[in-house]
Amino acid sequence: MFSKLHKASLLAVLLFVTLLPKAGAQVKPTPAAERMKGLEQRKILAQRSTYNSTAFRNIGPTVMSGRVVDLEVNAADPTEFYVAYATGGLWYSNNNGQSFTPLFDSLDVMTIGDIAVDWKTGAIWVGTGEVNSSRSTYAGLGVYKSNDKGKTWQYLGLPESHHIGKIQLHPTNPDIAWVAVMGHLYSPNKERGIYHTTDGGKTWKHTLAIDENTGVVELEINPQNPSELYAAAWYRTRSAWNFEEGGATSGIYKTVDGGATWTLLTKPGSGFPAGAHVGRIGLAVYPKNGQIVYAIVDNQQARPDTAKKDTAKYVLNDFKNLTAAQFAALNTAKIDTFLKQVGLLNRYNGATIKAGVATGRWKPTVLYDHLNVNDGFQGTPIGAEVYRSEDGGKSWRKTNTKALNLYSTFGYYFGKIYVSPANDQKVVITGISIEYSTDGGKTFTEMADDNVHADHHAVWINPARDSHIFSGNDGGLNISYDDGKNWFKANTPPLGQFYTVTVDNARPYNVYGGLQDNGVWWGPSTYRFGTAWHQSGNYPYKSIAGGDGMQVQVDTTDNQTVYTGSQFGAYARINKMESRSRKSVRPVHQLGEAPLRFNWQTPILLSKHNPQVFYIGANRLYRSFNRGDSLSPLSADLTGGKREGDVPFGTLTTIAESPLRFGLLYTGSDDGRIQVSKDAGFSWTQVGNAMAGKKAASAQLPQGLWVSRVVASRFSEPRVYASLNGYRNDDFKPYLFVSEDHGATWQQLGTDLPTESINVVREDPWNENVLYVGTDGGLYVSTDRGKTFMMWNAGLPRSIPVHDIAIQEREREIVLGTHGRSLYVAKLPAAAGAK
């Protein structure tokens, strides 16, 4: 007789196998019903757990924090407020940010798009799923509500919303609310637009629907007349290789009947931009006069090139589309000047290149081809523009008299505007910087100090004292009382968004990791939160790299030599105690070769056989025998090739080397290819799909999925594990496989895992039957080599993205790098360490 748990597990397995995409089939988004069933499976795996008798402990860090997406402050007492984080949950403070209490940790979703608070009743509404459309923007499950200040929660539906831009509450009727839904990030869906409830969220009406690629990112209300609302529609599509930041269906809509009907305001002739270049729009209504409306728009139209060309110098486009005769006619000295400017004169000179083109060694376009590298930040759009209407949106005029260098090429990540509740001439706009105007948007002044992180997403302005301002950004929460002349940080919660984690072998051992937009940090595994360091000025964690922090490898022979860096392969070898001294370990393509393509999180690896051996993956795999001082390619392109778009694609995402045999190497790519070399990189074989041969064709892996991890076993030389990730297709099913023959054939594992994308799989160092899997929803453990799993979440929030896992073998401890709640550590239970 099966128990209820066993029956439920069997049903989950059968459902997973049925829904597994066949090789060559198009990857489809996961239906909401399937995601909701996954929540029930989470409960089963938690009930089954024998590991939850051992609890995780958070080891920080805290000072750098993570991305804030929304703020709600009590205007009657601004020391009381709520802060929502992209992947860190909802937090409450009633002492002006000196301390915080988490309110969302008991729920099955952690990612938040927007919150709304009814300060009269204490009700909190949470729209899950961040709306900023970044690489680490996670889909939510809909809307939640608490009527007791976050003690208990009820689910209000809208599961296909995925990403919610705004919740607006009626100022006097607590049962009326509107929700702005952006919809899926990586796939079209019809459930986008505006939803309206008149019964506190029990039922919803879909009152504004534009099309399957156009959602609503912003929603503002006229508090003097709550039947008037303004909605910002945004056309945007995203794939793993391309982002459409705007489109003709972007625009501003208005309702005068509480959302029953909507009218497009921004038609041609309105004074507001219209057409294919209109990107994300932010809105603000002046509370004292609802006819005054501000908008900020990301204008994707190319910025006019008004710079006077220096004819004494060449620029990159001068080398585009040249014939051999045209190249021969170029000025050699000017070529040398250009080569010096781009850092190539130490490798090449004008005379050598001209000779190579003349003999046919290189194409006449060789310099353009060499330097035309897609780094994911291409183009020169106009970017942010501010508009004002004084007639309720019927007509608009542009206010800023000078270009606003607020967005660079990624205006989709920001797009908010705020007007002082007391002064319609005072306006705050957010982007990479935070700026304010006191003349109705004509001119703007930057207001961030040197202790304020860049990339601002949420602002609150005190209606009683509009110099008192909150700013939520990629570095947490800042508060100012003097219009941004001075700020203090309110960053006590451990809310870092870690991409990666690793450990050294010091005593006590240190933990290292790269964070979203907060660089790379390292600190002691014994860290416990406290404020004593304020007195000494010596924070236990230290920063060793900036930008978006990426992978880290540590040479444990000295515990000082660290390989790390930032996005798109900008890596260096660093002595962590002398971090200003660094040696680049980024491979460079040769003249005449196609430019290398680097993943956002470029994979690196130090060999377990010899720490002098260093690997780094672009679209080709490179190796160094001298700690990165020189690098040699081990392969041709190991991906399916370049794909046109504004995001680098066709890149390696993971590297593995067998701990049992030097030279047995594996790579995985963003386009779903797994390659193996059994001869130290001399030859490569693609495995797991029809192209790998007849034998593999009968045991194919799902195709077209991001390879999140390949792990070569330490117990059996031909054994290898692979996890695939469908996040970039809005496919959230868990794909976990094992091969016992170097990838020739594969067996599916983890068929009872819930519907959550897998980021990492690790073997236990001592027991080959124990596997650890980190997903976008948490940590899971198997004690039967992947046949069945249990949840291990004692001491963790109920749901948290686990991006990476490290194991410190001497201390027998496991470390989790979470994308939202920093780092956690726990002792491995005896079962894991059994020999």
Side-chain angles (χ1 to χ4, degrees):
M1 179 71 69
F2 283 121
S3 69
K4 289 183 179 180
L5 284 179
H6 284 141
K7 285 182 179 178
S9 297
L10 181 59
L11 286 173
V13 171
L14 293 173
L15 177 64
F16 184 91
V17 173
T18 301
L19 295 172
L20 189 68
K22 301 297 186 289
Q26 182 181 2
V27 181
K28 297 182 179 180
T30 304
E34 186 181 338
R35 296 182 69 206
M36 301 307 288
K37 286 180 182 178
L39 304 186
E40 295 302 313
Q41 184 65 8
R42 287 172 59 89
K43 294 177 183 177
I44 292 170
L45 299 193
Q47 294 169 11
R48 172 191 296 174
S49 182
T50 60
Y51 272 56
N52 272 341
S53 57
T54 302
F56 281 90
R57 176 174 65 86
N58 191 281
I59 58 168
T62 62
V63 293
M64 72 292 297
S65 194
R67 188 162 66 251
V68 171
V69 293
D70 197 20
L71 303 160
E72 290 292 336
V73 184
N74 184 354
D77 177 11
T79 65
E80 182 184 21
F81 53 85
Y82 297 88
V83 186
Y85 294 82
T87 53
L90 178 66
W91 294 71
Y92 170 75
S93 176
N94 60 6
N95 56 14
N96 207 32
Q98 289 182 300
S99 64
F100 290 83
T101 302
L103 301 180
F104 222 54
D105 283 15
S106 62
L107 300 179
D108 285 302
V109 60
M110 183 67 70
T111 178
I112 296 178
D114 191 69
I115 58 173
V117 176
D118 186 332
W119 293 100
K120 301 184 189 73
T121 66
I124 310 167
W125 299 61
V126 176
T128 60
E130 183 192 7
V131 80
N132 291 318
S133 303
S134 78
R135 289 173 175 84
S136 56
T137 290
Y138 290 96
L141 292 168
V143 179
Y144 291 80
K145 181 182 178 183
S146 173
N147 290 314
D148 52 15
K149 292 192 171 184
K151 294 183 179 67
T152 60
W153 294 90
Q154 55 182 305
Y155 178 60
L156 302 185
L158 304 184
E160 288 287 8
S161 60
H162 278 210
H163 302 278
I164 289 177
K166 192 70 175 239
I167 298 178
Q168 278 291 350
L169 305 182
H170 193 284
T172 58
N173 188 333
D175 287 328
I176 297 177
W178 300 264
V179 176
V181 170
M182 266 309 296
H184 296 186
L185 178 55
Y186 285 98
S187 58
N189 73 304
K190 62 184 180 180
E191 298 88 352
R192 302 173 187 254
I194 298 292
Y195 289 83
H196 181 209
T197 181
T198 57
D199 55 14
K202 295 176 184 176
T203 60
W204 296 93
K205 289 184 179 179
H206 193 184
T207 64
L208 175 61
I210 301 163
D211 64 40
E212 62 182 8
N213 289 312
T214 307
V216 177
V217 68
E218 179 73 288
L219 182 64
E220 292 298 312
I221 193 168
N222 176 2
Q224 302 298 321
N225 179 5
S227 294
E228 289 186 356
L229 294 96
Y230 300 84
W234 180 23
Y235 173 95
R236 64 103 172 90
T237 68
R238 183 158 195 164
S239 66
W241 56 87
N242 194 47
F243 197 128
E244 280 188 289
E245 294 92 343
T249 49
S250 299
I252 301 172
Y253 287 78
K254 182 179 181 179
T255 179
V256 295
D257 53 17
T261 60
W262 295 85
T263 302
L264 177 64
L265 298 176
T266 52
K267 297 177 181 178
S270 68
F272 196 87
H277 299 295
V278 179
R280 180 171 176 174
I281 300 169
L283 298 170
V285 177
Y286 183 50
K288 292 185 178 181
N289 180 356
Q291 296 300 296
I292 298 176
V293 185
Y294 281 95
I296 186 168
V297 60
D298 176 28
N299 188 338
Q300 283 290 306
Q301 188 171 0
R303 184 175 298 186
D305 185 5
T306 58
K308 187 176 180 180
K309 185 175 180 180
D310 184 355
T311 58
K313 294 181 179 180
Y314 289 134
V315 296
L316 181 60
N317 279 340
D318 290 329
F319 301 101
K320 187 178 182 180
N321 299 325
L322 296 180
T323 65
Q326 288 171 327
F327 195 93
L330 295 175
N331 184 286
T332 304
K334 287 173 66 174
I335 294 177
D336 285 338
T337 300
F338 175 79
L339 292 173
K340 183 177 181 180
Q341 179 184 341
V342 298
L344 289 177
L345 191 60
N346 60 334
R347 300 170 58 199
Y348 308 101
N349 60 60
T352 301
I353 296 174
K354 291 184 80 172
V357 171
T359 61
R361 178 186 178 190
W362 292 314
K363 296 179 181 178
T365 57
V366 63
L367 281 175
Y368 181 84
D369 296 340
H370 183 84
L371 294 166
N372 185 31
V373 178
N374 180 7
D375 62 0
F377 301 103
Q378 303 296 304
T380 55
I382 291 172
E385 294 180 319
V386 173
Y387 289 81
R388 174 175 164 133
S389 174
E390 297 179 354
D391 54 12
K394 295 177 183 176
S395 63
W396 300 83
R397 62 177 174 84
K398 182 180 171 183
T399 66
N400 57 294
T401 54
K402 295 181 180 179
L404 298 172
N405 296 312
L406 196 68
Y407 287 166
S408 185
T409 59
F410 42 104
Y412 62 84
Y413 193 51
F414 310 107
K416 302 285 280 187
I417 188 168
Y418 303 85
V419 60
S420 165
N423 178 2
D424 72 289
Q425 296 296 302
K426 185 171 184 177
V427 182
V428 177
I429 55 178
T430 62
I432 297 173
S433 60
I434 178 171
E435 302 183 11
Y436 77 111
S437 171
T438 56
D439 55 13
K442 295 177 184 176
T443 60
F444 284 87
T445 302
E446 188 170 347
M447 61 194 307
D449 205 351
D450 57 5
N451 71 327
V452 179
H453 198 285
D455 295 356
H456 299 261
H457 304 285
V459 167
W460 179 79
I461 303 172
N462 190 336
R465 176 184 174 181
D466 65 8
S467 60
H468 179 201
I469 297 172
F470 286 52
S471 173
N473 49 63
D474 275 13
L477 175 63
N478 291 90
I479 300 175
S480 173
Y481 287 90
D482 54 13
D483 279 328
K485 294 182 180 67
N486 298 279
W487 298 84
F488 73 86
K489 286 185 179 292
N491 281 355
T492 54
L495 290 166
Q497 294 177 294
F498 276 84
Y499 286 119
T500 63
V501 65
T502 194
V503 296
D504 65 17
N505 209 28
R507 293 180 183 271
Y509 72 89
N510 297 293
V511 182
Y512 305 72
L515 299 98
Q516 188 274 327
D517 208 24
N518 278 281
V520 179
W521 292 69
W522 67 277
S525 58
T526 53
Y527 172 91
R528 292 181 182 273
F529 173 76
T531 56
W533 70 271
H534 290 186
Q535 185 71 10
S536 67
N538 184 24
Y539 188 63
Y541 278 84
K542 310 297 179 186
S543 174
I544 52 175
D548 280 85
M550 294 297 155
Q551 296 193 7
V552 186
Q553 292 285 283
V554 183
D555 184 346
T556 55
T557 61
D558 64 9
N559 297 314
Q560 299 294 321
T561 304
V562 179
Y563 300 78
T564 192
S566 57
Q567 61 267 36
F568 298 128
Y571 285 94
R573 187 182 72 232
I574 304 169
N575 183 301
K576 71 182 184 186
M577 303 308 292
E578 303 167 2
S579 59
R580 292 183 181 179
S581 174
R582 54 191 63 217
K583 167 69 173 64
S584 174
V585 293
R586 189 180 197 263
V588 178
H589 62 290
Q590 302 298 311
L591 202 64
E593 295 179 342
L596 295 172
R597 300 185 299 275
F598 293 89
N599 193 267
W600 176 258
Q601 190 191 135
T602 295
I604 58 173
L605 182 69
L606 275 186
S607 173
K608 295 295 184 184
H609 301 280
N610 183 346
Q612 300 282 315
V613 179
F614 169 77
Y615 299 93
I616 182 169
N619 54 305
R620 306 170 69 183
L621 182 65
Y622 284 78
R623 180 178 60 199
S624 171
F625 284 116
N626 53 13
R627 306 193 311 156
D629 285 340
S630 61
L631 291 156
S632 300
L634 285 186
S635 71
D637 194 336
L638 293 173
T639 77
K642 181 180 179 181
R643 191 152 185 176
E644 291 302 323
D646 54 13
V647 180
F649 189 75
T651 65
L652 296 183
T653 54
T654 180
I655 306 167
E657 179 188 53
S658 170
L660 302 177
R661 177 179 146 198
F662 180 79
L664 176 55
L665 301 170
Y666 296 89
T667 65
S669 66
D670 54 12
D671 56 2
R673 296 179 180 235
I674 297 177
Q675 306 265 8
V676 60
S677 174
K678 300 176 184 178
D679 51 17
F682 182 78
S683 62
W684 291 86
T685 301
Q686 185 178 336
V687 297
N689 61 65
M691 294 183 66
K694 294 182 180 179
K695 185 178 181 182
S698 63
Q700 298 174 21
L701 297 176
Q703 302 300 292
L705 296 169
W706 190 286
V707 183
S708 59
R709 206 63 57 110
V710 176
V711 176
S713 174
R714 64 168 63 199
F715 298 102
S716 171
E717 186 248 286
R719 183 180 302 157
V720 59
Y721 296 93
S723 59
L724 310 178
N725 187 308
Y727 162 84
R728 290 159 188 83
N729 302 89
D730 290 323
D731 174 7
F732 306 115
K733 291 186 286 296
Y735 297 106
L736 181 65
F737 298 87
V738 66
S739 171
E740 300 288 352
D741 51 14
H742 301 103
T745 59
W746 295 86
Q747 177 188 353
Q748 181 186 342
L749 303 177
T751 54
D752 62 345
L753 285 168
T755 313
E756 297 165 4
S757 300
I758 297 179
N759 301 310
V760 58
V761 56
R762 291 278 187 223
E763 276 189 322
D764 184 85
W766 305 278
N767 188 336
E768 67 177 336
N769 294 316
V770 177
L771 296 177
Y772 308 97
V773 167
T775 75
D776 286 347
L779 175 67
Y780 299 88
V781 183
S782 173
T783 56
D784 54 15
R785 271 201 11 230
K787 293 184 180 67
T788 61
F789 277 85
M790 67 186 85
M791 181 173 255
W792 187 7
N793 65 347
L796 302 176
R798 180 169 176 80
S799 174
I800 185 67
V802 176
H803 268 218
D804 205 1
I805 299 169
I807 295 177
Q808 217 293 334
E809 296 184 28
R810 188 192 64 239
E811 301 297 329
R812 304 175 81 84
E813 290 188 337
I814 184 171
V815 183
L816 307 183
T818 74
H819 200 75
R821 297 295 279 271
S822 291
L823 302 170
Y824 286 87
V825 65
K827 284 287 185 184
L828 287 169
K835 295 184 179 179

